[in-house]
Amino acid sequence: MTMTETTLTVNGQTRTLDVEPRRLLADVIRQEFDIAGVHIGCAHGACGCCTVHIDGTPRLSCLTFAVQCDGRDIKTVESLGGFDATHVLQLAFKSEHGLQCGYCTPGFLMTLVPYVEENVARGTLPSDEDIREAMSGNICRCTGYHGIVAAVRKAIGDQIGGGQ
Ligand code: FES
Ligand code: FES
């Protein structure tokens, strides 16, 4: 079996591994780095559960081979607010009831954190329609999405002083 030497940095931890070229980034993060916040829902790019940041950009780790990430900086949901989930968007998910079972939540957070940061930097409070468009690649089977939209609105509004 051909293995490829691959160096990955996940949440600040750099490791060089011999990886089969067909192995998915999601599996390597979970099994080799022992990081459980990368959830796998559909495993074919439809649900967004497995979203991580690769060099700061949200990507689906179920559609990414680990060897493609050689030398890249990868962040999972564990990088946001730690065990107490203190990131502004995590706190808003909590207060606005943006989660129930929580299985989809890491993916939503990793998709939406850059979106929140971009809007805060611009000082703009987006419309609910715009927020729904931003999270259209993520599926939640519990919440009906309303609480997630409210959480994004709150996370942005609180930081720019625009309220909800
Ligand atoms: S598990 Fe990757 S998109 Fe569903
Ligand atoms: S909170 Fe259960 S799938 Fe979204």
Side-chain angles (χ1 to χ4, degrees), residues 43-104:
H44 62 262
C47 75
C49 277
C50 64
T51 305
V52 299
H53 293 178
I54 300 177
D55 290 340
T57 302
R59 299 283 184 218
L60 299 175
S61 60
C62 78
L63 293 187
T64 306
F65 293 117
V67 295
Q68 292 176 288
C69 300
D70 186 36
R72 304 292 189 91
D73 184 57
I74 297 154
K75 294 269 194 314
T76 71
V77 71
E78 284 86 350
S79 71
L80 293 183
F83 185 75
D84 293 326
T86 54
H87 186 281
V88 61
L89 187 57
Q90 289 173 313
L91 295 173
F93 263 63
K94 184 177 177 184
S95 68
E96 304 308 301
H97 309 289
L99 72 154
Q100 290 182 29
C101 80
Y103 196 82
C104 68

Side-chain angles (χ1 to χ4, degrees), residues 2-151:
T2 306
M3 303 287 246
T4 302
E5 190 175 274
T6 304
T7 299
L8 304 174
T9 300
V10 184
N11 299 342
Q13 180 190 355
T14 301
R15 289 179 58 192
T16 299
L17 307 160
D18 287 324
V19 180
E20 283 181 65
R22 67 182 178 89
R23 235 172 139 199
L24 298 173
L25 179 62
D27 293 334
V28 169
I29 293 173
R30 289 179 59 85
Q31 292 163 12
E32 306 302 334
F33 285 81
D34 204 19
I35 292 173
V38 178
H39 289 176
I40 299 171
C42 66
H44 62 262
C47 75
C49 277
C50 64
T51 305
V52 299
H53 293 178
I54 300 177
D55 290 340
T57 302
R59 299 283 184 218
L60 299 175
S61 60
C62 78
L63 293 187
T64 306
F65 293 117
V67 295
Q68 292 176 288
C69 300
D70 186 36
R72 304 292 189 91
D73 184 57
I74 297 154
K75 294 269 194 314
T76 71
V77 71
E78 284 86 350
S79 71
L80 293 183
F83 185 75
D84 293 326
T86 54
H87 186 281
V88 61
L89 187 57
Q90 289 173 313
L91 295 173
F93 263 63
K94 184 177 177 184
S95 68
E96 304 308 301
H97 309 289
L99 72 154
Q100 290 182 29
C101 80
Y103 196 82
C104 68
T105 310
F108 270 92
L109 291 167
M110 297 310 281
T111 296
L112 291 168
V113 160
Y115 176 78
V116 168
E117 289 172 351
E118 286 162 18
N119 278 279
V120 169
R122 280 200 300 266
T124 53
L125 187 61
S127 65
D128 286 3
E129 185 182 11
D130 196 74
I131 295 170
R132 286 180 183 274
E133 174 67 26
M135 62 190 217
S136 61
N138 292 72
I139 293 174
C140 174
R141 301 187 68 158
C142 301
T143 64
Y145 302 100
H146 182 77
I148 300 174
V149 173

